[in-house]
Amino acid sequence: MRIITELGNSKALTVRGRAELLDAVRDVMEPESVFADSGLVRALGPAQTPMTAETVVTRVEALRDALSRTLDGKVDGALLERAIHRACTANYLTQHSGLVAEAGQLAHLFGEPTLQEQFDQAGRQLLFVLGMELVHYRTRTRSDAV
C-alpha cells in the first residue's frame, strides 16, 4: 500500500520499491502455500492475454510514468507518434465485425462499443502504450550506460 501511495504522489518507482511491489503481487498471485512445489506461475487476466506478476508490476510502472509525464506536460509529438494509439484502435474497429462473425457462441463478448466506451478505452490504451514506451526507453538507456 505504501508503494502505491507513493506512486500516486508522483514518486518514481525505485529499484527497491519495484522489488517490494513485485513480492507483494507474487504473494497474491503465486502464494507459496499453493504454488511452491508445483513450479507453476499463476497469471491474471483472460487466457489470451495472461498477466504474470512481473507484467502487473511493469504495467503499474508504465501507467505511473505516463501519468506523471502527461500531467507535467512533458509528452511531445514524437513520443505520441511512437505510442501508435490511433493505428491500434482503427485496426481493431475494422476487424470488429469479422471477430463477431468468427466468435460463434462467444459473439456477445464483442459487443459494439459505445462512443463513451471507445473514448474511455482510448485514454487508457494511450496512457498504457505511452508508459510502456517510457519504461522501454529508460531500460534501453540504462543498458547503454553499462
Side-chain angles (χ1 to χ4, degrees):
M1 188 60 121
R2 174 185 49 78
I3 295 168
I4 297 298
T5 302
E6 289 175 358
L7 292 173
N9 290 324
S10 299
K11 292 188 178 177
L13 190 59
T14 64
V15 173
R16 181 176 176 214
R18 188 177 203 291
E20 288 179 38
L21 183 57
L22 186 56
D23 286 344
V25 172
R26 280 200 176 111
D27 285 347
V28 171
M29 291 176 59
E30 304 166 9
E32 288 186 27
S33 61
V34 178
F35 294 98
D37 296 330
S38 70
L40 294 174
V41 175
R42 189 169 140 197
L44 294 173
Q48 304 86 342
T49 56
M51 289 177 46
T52 63
E54 182 68 35
T55 305
V56 169
V57 172
T58 299
R59 186 176 178 94
V60 166
E61 187 176 19
L63 289 172
R64 183 262 168 218
D65 287 355
L67 281 170
S68 177
R69 281 288 276 278
T70 301
L71 293 173
D72 290 346
K74 295 180 179 174
V75 178
D76 62 13
L79 189 54
L80 287 175
E81 291 270 333
R82 288 194 306 267
I84 62 165
H85 168 71
R86 286 177 288 174
C88 293
T89 300
N91 187 34
Y92 171 75
L93 291 175
T94 59
Q95 295 177 9
H96 181 264
S97 60
L99 292 170
V100 170
E102 292 176 22
Q105 293 180 346
L106 300 176
H108 67 281
L109 296 175
F110 295 97
E112 188 70 37
T114 66
L115 187 58
Q116 183 64 52
E117 289 169 337
Q118 289 180 46
F119 180 79
D120 294 344
Q121 179 59 23
R124 286 190 298 270
Q125 186 178 1
L126 178 59
L127 277 175
F128 177 65
V129 173
L130 178 61
M132 291 303 291
E133 180 66 29
L134 292 167
V135 167
H136 177 71
Y137 174 77
R138 187 175 54 241
T139 303
R140 200 174 48 225
T141 303
R142 281 187 206 144
S143 65
D144 290 345
V146 174

